[in-house]
Amino acid sequence: MIRVTVWNEFRHEKSHEAVRAVYPKGMHEAIADGLRKDSGLKVRTATLDQPEHGLTKEVLAETDVLTWWGHMAHGEVQDEIAARVQQRVLEGMGLIVLHSGHMSKPFMRLMGTSCLLRWREADESERLWVVSPTHPIVAGLGPYIDMPAEEMYGEHFDIPAPDDLIFVSWFEGGDVFRSGCSWSRGLGKVFYFRPGHETYPTYHNPEIIKVIDNAVHWAAFAGNNSVAPFYGANTKPLQTIVPKKH
Amino acid sequence: MIRVTVWNEFRHEKSHEAVRAVYPKGMHEAIADGLRKDSGLKVRTATLDQPEHGLTKEVLAETDVLTWWGHMAHGEVQDEIAARVQQRVLEGMGLIVLHSGHMSKPFMRLMGTSCLLRWREADESERLWVVSPTHPIVAGLGPYIDMPAEEMYGEHFDIPAPDDLIFVSWFEGGDVFRSGCSWSRGLGKVFYFRPGHETYPTYHNPEIIKVIDNAVHWAAFAGNNSVAPFYGANTKPLQTIVPKKH
Amino acid sequence: MIRVTVWNEFRHEKSHEAVRAVYPKGMHEAIADGLRKDSGLKVRTATLDQPEHGLTKEVLAETDVLTWWGHMAHGEVQDEIAARVQQRVLEGMGLIVLHSGHMSKPFMRLMGTSCLLRWREADESERLWVVSPTHPIVAGLGPYIDMPAEEMYGEHFDIPAPDDLIFVSWFEGGDVFRSGCSWSRGLGKVFYFRPGHETYPTYHNPEIIKVIDNAVHWAAFAGNNSVAPFYGANTKPLQTIVPKKH
Amino acid sequence: MIRVTVWNEFRHEKSHEAVRAVYPKGMHEAIADGLRKDSGLKVRTATLDQPEHGLTKEVLAETDVLTWWGHMAHGEVQDEIAARVQQRVLEGMGLIVLHSGHMSKPFMRLMGTSCLLRWREADESERLWVVSPTHPIVAGLGPYIDMPAEEMYGEHFDIPAPDDLIFVSWFEGGDVFRSGCSWSRGLGKVFYFRPGHETYPTYHNPEIIKVIDNAVHWAAFAGNNSVAPFYGANTKPLQTIVPKKH
């Protein structure tokens, strides 16, 4: 059972009628509802305005994979909590960063770059092409996902070269974007997934939920955490070291 | 249930008493016995001197992951069958190449390089360090694997830069080696794993079997094969293309 | 002075009036003329119908970087000469593969994959976005290159994940393509660059020539060839190896 | 002419007699002296105890490549100046991080990970193997560099997977280390190079200086900075976007 925490800034839904119309309970509930159809997941939600943004040490300790949607209030996320999320990723928690989360504090801290990009709100169609067909994140999809209308995000996207480039988006207006990218950071895995502008029903789209669900399974820790206790420790040599004459 | 075919050249065991002493039934049976303890695998073996090297189209079609050990008779592998293995990898079969298999025809065809390396038979100790702790291939191991004695393989190893570098070996005599490397090729995944000189009981070592078992699970196809039918096909545009004036 | 050999199949220009109209002396002469404006390069050409396809051992030995355009006659390239080109790349020659050269024998041998892709001849516009701005191949360009009309190449492009992904193309009809990709193979560097359908004046475009010129400078050997003599050689240990008790 | 600033914490040399004996003018002067033999470089130095650590906006604006050695006083580097260095890297300045600089604030900010490692002071020999022979950073070297005595750094080194892995170190006591690693971050290039413990004459070693000199040439900006003004900007579509019906 993978324990998932779906985090949402949850502000647009309160202040913008058009957003509330699409996501009456908030984007987090749409995403969580989608993931709850997978009986292998145990899903809860957390939002910015909860105490400690809903991300207490206890919650994070019990979270295998965290998904993150934020936009208008990135600056209100406390630095201490952003650092806490970063630290949990380094310890092995998976992190799935959605859409405008590219400028969130945890993602920026993990990437080390500006994470800036070009964008345009023009109600244009997007097609996400699979370019890494062996990756488990694309299991069960066709060769691409069509979004009838979305916000445009365009290159150059200022991120470290991804360990795996999984999707590349085409936009009606003439732009492309590396829209599905994965990285390892410490013992944790990070996946960035582009779609999800708040005025579109993106998180009601079964293909988008499928990708996030696949990503949860991929990002849940399945590696080797025996290396962790060695961090910074001194260590006994395997064999006798011959003293040098200086 | 993952269907594994363990392939072995099976010549050293017939011609060298010292090898037969370690692997009386052949290295393939030692590896297969190790993998058979995993109830999620269905394991069979195949060897060079069988018709079509035991790798008929039917066998390959029913193989999810193929492991390969060869050395003294690389040249006797028929080109047609090497090409068949390569093609099956591109279609999604996993391939785990062991030790001296670095110069096997299927591996060299998939890599495109000379796959040469430096080597030394000096009965020296090897330590395989985990350098990619998020990778599922290293699950359940400690921070390294110690081999009390092995043949040395040293850099430069002439391979394409691996998609993931998973193990780096230290050798007593002063050498290092990228001893666990993975790549995607087409719809297939390839893992090269260094240890396994025929005169040492390497494939009786539970940690080595653990790595191969992990690699089988990792290499079994779990991606998206919907892209395959598009290979080479013409394709209908998503939107109207405006004719150009030349 | 970098010695460049521009190779062209040189068949479409002879058999198709429309192609000859665009490239009266052949595509190779258009590319070579473009590169000759760079006084740091010494440029010659070679074509399929010359003896040994113009790629004798002597020519290759004197070639620092080879560019390759082929299409309708890939099958007529002799296997021996394809292997010779591959071997020279492994020894340090740069290789720049253009457009339909993605199915050429030397490129396929170096990649190990099918190199298949989707395509469409629909006279559509292409925009090549720079996604790796630190790479010297994109020096002197803007954020993208616009091609008013080209053949479409679309994903999935069955290549090994590039070491560096440099350009991603957008096509009018709804497709994207990894149109500038680089790899190291042995001591050699390989760059694939997508544009160049024979019926368009692509190689008269100064931006396209700029990319090829940059790629020549990048691909010319500038590394360390001292590793080469070690290939396959036995090697003396750095320190005394303690004999093991078996 | 590439403008290099050699930065040094410059504390060990003041407080430890053994270090002063090796580097009477400080490690920065040893490195700078080495680089000054390259007439293509214009070299200056800067140290922690200077105003703004010697890294004013003016100095950084006039710096093409910055080298960084720090250890006992990482915590005294002001956050504002660490952020300034990070920002200059994203704008295109090269950064070469030496030895214990792996825990420096600028490097950690650019990596996003803990950058922890295992270490041992045991006066042991190190051998740095070239594993990426096409890389310009290894030009002019042999297949490895031998250091008769150095501090040991061992895996796991908690860094993002490098874009290029260039050196792997062997240590007498049984450890390996990814000792030459490169990454791109924004428009800047970063190279980490392991050797350089303060009690050894590492920066008097011509091979070590050769690597740093090569790295300076590699890290100096040679890419495409036209993408920068697009960061965050809105952008006009290439073609008419068809309004969607919701």
Side-chain angles (χ1 to χ4, degrees):
Chain A
M1 186 69 88
I2 299 172
R3 300 163 300 174
V4 185
T5 300
V6 175
W7 193 89
N8 183 16
E9 185 183 280
F10 197 26
R11 289 283 177 84
H12 288 278
E13 298 93 329
K14 294 173 182 167
S15 57
H16 293 74
E17 179 55 39
V19 179
R20 188 163 51 240
V22 182
Y23 298 110
K25 294 183 293 176
M27 271 179 282
H28 51 297
E29 290 300 337
I31 295 166
D33 281 352
L35 296 178
R36 283 183 184 120
K37 287 168 189 153
D38 177 345
S39 63
L41 307 185
K42 185 178 170 189
V43 183
R44 64 170 142 190
T45 64
T47 57
L48 178 66
D49 292 329
Q50 293 175 333
E52 303 187 43
H53 312 325
L55 299 173
T56 61
K57 288 177 187 174
E58 293 68 31
V59 167
L60 286 179
E62 293 170 355
T63 298
D64 297 310
V65 181
L66 176 69
T67 75
W68 190 282
W69 197 102
H71 183 216
M72 62 191 284
H74 286 322
E76 293 183 44
V77 173
Q78 298 170 46
D79 287 340
E80 183 190 338
I81 291 175
R84 183 188 292 171
V85 170
Q86 177 185 23
Q87 181 57 29
R88 263 296 284 148
V89 171
L90 298 183
E91 291 167 7
M93 182 181 73
L95 177 66
I96 298 171
V97 176
L98 299 169
H99 190 61
S100 44
H102 71 93
M103 293 289 283
S104 65
K105 288 182 179 180
F107 186 65
M108 292 183 70
R109 294 176 74 108
L110 287 159
M111 295 293 108
T113 57
S114 75
C115 299
L116 289 163
L117 50 80
R118 293 161 50 268
W119 55 274
R120 177 175 59 230
E121 291 189 44
D123 204 34
E124 64 196 286
S125 54
E126 174 182 13
R127 179 175 272 190
L128 296 99
W129 286 94
V130 171
V131 296
S132 185
T134 62
H135 205 291
I137 282 181
V138 298
L141 304 175
Y144 52 79
I145 300 172
D146 270 328
M147 305 298 294
E150 255 287 357
E151 182 183 13
M152 186 285 286
Y153 278 10
E155 298 283 344
H156 179 245
F157 184 19
D158 183 24
I159 47 171
D163 295 348
D164 288 299
L165 177 63
I166 301 166
F167 291 102
V168 173
S169 280
W170 174 96
F171 288 95
E172 192 177 350
D175 302 85
V176 297
F177 194 72
R178 289 171 292 170
S179 52
C181 299
S182 72
W183 300 265
S184 285
R185 287 291 181 269
L187 298 180
K189 288 161 148 184
V190 180
F191 178 58
Y192 174 78
F193 191 45
R194 198 214 75 83
H197 189 62
E198 65 271 12
T199 58
Y200 298 109
T202 298
Y203 299 120
H204 297 307
N205 180 323
E207 287 186 297
I208 298 299
I209 293 295
K210 174 71 175 166
V211 171
I212 298 173
D213 186 77
N214 284 344
V216 164
H217 284 272
W218 168 82
F221 186 75
N224 179 335
N225 57 14
S226 76
V227 307
F230 280 80
Y231 282 164
N234 207 321
T235 181
K236 201 164 68 76
L238 177 65
Q239 61 178 31
T240 308
I241 294 169
V242 182
K244 303 298 176 297
K245 288 167 192 133
H246 295 287
Chain B
M1 185 70 87
I2 299 172
R3 300 163 300 173
V4 185
T5 300
V6 175
W7 193 89
N8 183 17
E9 185 183 279
F10 197 27
R11 288 281 177 86
H12 288 277
E13 298 93 329
K14 294 172 183 168
S15 56
H16 293 74
E17 178 54 38
V19 180
R20 188 162 52 240
V22 183
Y23 298 109
K25 293 184 294 176
M27 270 179 282
H28 51 296
E29 289 300 337
I31 295 167
D33 281 352
L35 296 178
R36 283 182 183 120
K37 287 169 189 152
D38 178 345
S39 62
L41 308 185
K42 185 179 170 189
V43 182
R44 64 170 142 190
T45 64
T47 57
L48 179 66
D49 292 329
Q50 294 175 332
E52 303 189 43
H53 313 326
L55 299 174
T56 60
K57 289 179 186 172
E58 293 68 30
V59 167
L60 287 179
E62 294 169 354
T63 298
D64 297 310
V65 180
L66 176 68
T67 75
W68 190 282
W69 196 102
H71 182 217
M72 62 190 285
H74 286 323
E76 294 182 43
V77 173
Q78 297 169 46
D79 287 340
E80 182 190 338
I81 292 176
R84 186 188 290 169
V85 170
Q86 178 185 23
Q87 182 57 30
R88 262 296 284 147
V89 170
L90 300 183
E91 292 168 7
M93 181 181 73
L95 177 66
I96 299 172
V97 176
L98 299 169
H99 190 62
S100 44
H102 71 93
M103 293 289 283
S104 64
K105 287 182 179 179
F107 186 64
M108 292 183 70
R109 294 175 74 106
L110 287 159
M111 295 293 108
T113 56
S114 75
C115 298
L116 289 162
L117 49 81
R118 291 162 51 267
W119 56 274
R120 178 174 59 230
E121 291 189 45
D123 204 34
E124 64 196 286
S125 54
E126 174 181 13
R127 180 174 272 187
L128 296 100
W129 285 95
V130 171
V131 298
S132 186
T134 60
H135 205 290
I137 282 181
V138 298
L141 303 174
Y144 52 78
I145 299 172
D146 270 328
M147 305 298 292
E150 254 287 357
E151 182 183 14
M152 186 283 288
Y153 276 11
E155 297 285 342
H156 178 247
F157 183 20
D158 183 24
I159 47 171
D163 295 349
D164 288 299
L165 176 63
I166 301 167
F167 292 102
V168 173
S169 281
W170 174 97
F171 289 95
E172 192 178 349
D175 302 84
V176 298
F177 194 72
R178 289 170 292 169
S179 52
C181 299
S182 72
W183 300 266
S184 285
R185 287 292 180 270
L187 298 180
K189 289 160 149 185
V190 179
F191 178 58
Y192 173 79
F193 190 45
R194 198 214 75 84
H197 189 61
E198 63 271 12
T199 59
Y200 298 109
T202 298
Y203 299 120
H204 297 306
N205 179 323
E207 287 185 298
I208 298 298
I209 293 296
K210 175 70 174 167
V211 172
I212 298 172
D213 186 76
N214 285 344
V216 164
H217 285 272
W218 168 82
F221 186 75
N224 179 335
N225 57 14
S226 77
V227 306
F230 280 80
Y231 283 165
N234 209 319
T235 181
K236 202 164 67 77
L238 178 65
Q239 60 179 30
T240 308
I241 294 169
V242 182
K244 303 297 175 297
K245 287 167 193 135
H246 295 287
Chain C
M1 185 70 87
I2 298 173
R3 299 163 300 174
V4 185
T5 300
V6 175
W7 192 88
N8 183 15
E9 185 183 280
F10 197 26
R11 288 281 177 85
H12 288 277
E13 298 94 328
K14 295 171 182 169
S15 57
H16 292 75
E17 178 54 40
V19 179
R20 188 162 52 241
V22 183
Y23 298 108
K25 294 184 292 177
M27 270 179 281
H28 51 298
E29 291 300 336
I31 295 167
D33 281 352
L35 296 178
R36 284 183 183 118
K37 286 168 189 153
D38 177 344
S39 63
L41 307 184
K42 185 178 170 190
V43 182
R44 66 171 143 190
T45 63
T47 58
L48 178 66
D49 292 329
Q50 294 175 332
E52 303 188 43
H53 312 326
L55 299 174
T56 62
K57 288 178 187 175
E58 293 68 31
V59 166
L60 286 178
E62 294 169 355
T63 298
D64 297 310
V65 181
L66 176 68
T67 75
W68 190 282
W69 197 102
H71 182 217
M72 63 190 284
H74 287 321
E76 293 183 42
V77 173
Q78 297 169 47
D79 287 339
E80 183 190 339
I81 291 176
R84 184 187 291 170
V85 169
Q86 177 185 24
Q87 182 58 29
R88 263 296 283 147
V89 170
L90 299 183
E91 291 167 7
M93 182 180 73
L95 178 66
I96 298 172
V97 176
L98 298 169
H99 190 62
S100 44
H102 72 94
M103 293 289 283
S104 65
K105 288 183 179 179
F107 186 65
M108 292 183 69
R109 293 176 74 106
L110 287 159
M111 295 293 108
T113 56
S114 76
C115 298
L116 288 163
L117 49 80
R118 292 162 48 271
W119 55 274
R120 177 175 59 230
E121 291 189 46
D123 203 34
E124 64 196 286
S125 54
E126 175 182 13
R127 178 175 273 189
L128 296 99
W129 285 94
V130 171
V131 297
S132 185
T134 62
H135 205 289
I137 282 181
V138 298
L141 304 175
Y144 52 79
I145 299 172
D146 269 330
M147 305 299 292
E150 255 286 358
E151 181 182 15
M152 185 284 285
Y153 277 11
E155 296 285 345
H156 178 245
F157 184 19
D158 182 24
I159 47 171
D163 295 348
D164 288 299
L165 177 62
I166 301 167
F167 291 103
V168 172
S169 280
W170 173 97
F171 289 95
E172 192 177 350
D175 302 85
V176 298
F177 194 71
R178 290 170 292 169
S179 51
C181 299
S182 72
W183 300 266
S184 286
R185 288 290 180 271
L187 298 179
K189 289 161 149 182
V190 179
F191 178 57
Y192 174 78
F193 190 45
R194 197 214 76 82
H197 189 60
E198 64 272 10
T199 58
Y200 299 108
T202 298
Y203 299 119
H204 297 306
N205 180 323
E207 288 186 297
I208 297 299
I209 293 296
K210 175 71 175 165
V211 172
I212 298 173
D213 186 77
N214 285 343
V216 165
H217 284 271
W218 168 83
F221 187 74
N224 179 335
N225 57 15
S226 77
V227 306
F230 279 82
Y231 283 165
N234 208 320
T235 181
K236 201 165 69 76
L238 177 66
Q239 61 179 31
T240 308
I241 294 168
V242 183
K244 303 298 176 296
K245 289 170 191 128
H246 296 288
Chain D
M1 187 69 88
I2 298 172
R3 300 163 300 173
V4 185
T5 301
V6 175
W7 193 88
N8 183 16
E9 185 182 280
F10 198 27
R11 289 280 178 86
H12 288 278
E13 298 94 329
K14 294 173 183 166
S15 57
H16 292 74
E17 178 54 40
V19 179
R20 188 161 53 240
V22 183
Y23 298 108
K25 294 184 292 177
M27 270 179 281
H28 50 297
E29 290 300 337
I31 295 166
D33 281 352
L35 296 178
R36 284 183 183 120
K37 287 169 188 153
D38 178 345
S39 63
L41 308 185
K42 185 179 170 190
V43 183
R44 65 169 143 191
T45 64
T47 59
L48 179 66
D49 292 329
Q50 293 175 332
E52 302 187 44
H53 313 325
L55 299 173
T56 61
K57 288 178 187 172
E58 293 69 31
V59 167
L60 286 179
E62 294 169 356
T63 298
D64 298 310
V65 181
L66 176 68
T67 75
W68 190 282
W69 196 101
H71 182 216
M72 62 191 283
H74 287 323
E76 293 182 43
V77 173
Q78 296 170 46
D79 287 339
E80 182 190 340
I81 292 176
R84 185 189 291 171
V85 169
Q86 178 185 23
Q87 182 57 30
R88 262 296 283 146
V89 170
L90 300 183
E91 291 167 9
M93 182 180 72
L95 177 66
I96 299 171
V97 176
L98 298 169
H99 190 63
S100 43
H102 72 93
M103 293 287 284
S104 65
K105 288 182 179 178
F107 186 65
M108 292 183 70
R109 293 176 75 106
L110 287 159
M111 295 293 108
T113 57
S114 75
C115 299
L116 287 164
L117 49 81
R118 292 163 48 269
W119 56 274
R120 177 175 60 229
E121 291 189 44
D123 204 32
E124 63 196 286
S125 54
E126 174 182 13
R127 180 175 270 188
L128 295 99
W129 286 94
V130 170
V131 298
S132 185
T134 61
H135 205 289
I137 282 181
V138 298
L141 303 176
Y144 51 78
I145 299 173
D146 269 330
M147 304 299 291
E150 255 287 358
E151 182 182 15
M152 186 283 288
Y153 277 11
E155 297 285 344
H156 178 244
F157 183 20
D158 183 24
I159 48 171
D163 295 350
D164 289 299
L165 177 63
I166 301 167
F167 291 104
V168 173
S169 281
W170 174 97
F171 288 96
E172 191 178 349
D175 302 85
V176 298
F177 194 71
R178 289 171 292 168
S179 51
C181 299
S182 72
W183 301 265
S184 286
R185 288 291 180 271
L187 299 180
K189 289 161 148 182
V190 179
F191 178 57
Y192 174 79
F193 190 45
R194 197 214 76 83
H197 188 60
E198 63 272 10
T199 59
Y200 298 108
T202 299
Y203 299 120
H204 297 306
N205 179 323
E207 287 186 297
I208 297 299
I209 293 295
K210 176 69 175 164
V211 172
I212 298 173
D213 186 77
N214 285 343
V216 164
H217 284 272
W218 168 82
F221 186 74
N224 180 334
N225 57 15
S226 77
V227 306
F230 279 80
Y231 284 165
N234 210 320
T235 181
K236 202 165 69 77
L238 177 66
Q239 60 179 30
T240 308
I241 294 168
V242 182
K244 304 296 175 298
K245 288 168 190 129
H246 295 287

